[in-house]
Amino acid sequence: MESPAFFYTIFLWCLLLSITGYSIYVGFGPPSRELRDPFEDHED
């Protein structure tokens, strides 16, 4: 458990999970009301 690779792996997993969680929060949470849909803006 003293191997630096173990700590790098844990750090990368935590970073990946936090970025994924933040992306889901921005995409589907309260901040998503401010997002605009470019396809809806240019309907014919």
Side-chain angles (χ1 to χ4, degrees):
M1 291 287 180
E2 293 295 322
S3 172
F6 177 75
F7 294 108
Y8 292 144
T9 304
I10 296 297
F11 174 76
L12 288 175
W13 272 110
C14 290
L15 185 66
L16 178 69
L17 287 177
S18 63
I19 289 172
T20 304
Y22 181 72
S23 299
I24 291 171
Y25 172 74
V26 169
F28 298 104
S32 67
R33 292 187 198 114
E34 299 173 11
L35 296 176
R36 63 179 187 86
D37 185 6
F39 294 105
E40 211 171 86
D41 294 342
H42 299 290
E43 284 187 10
D44 292 329

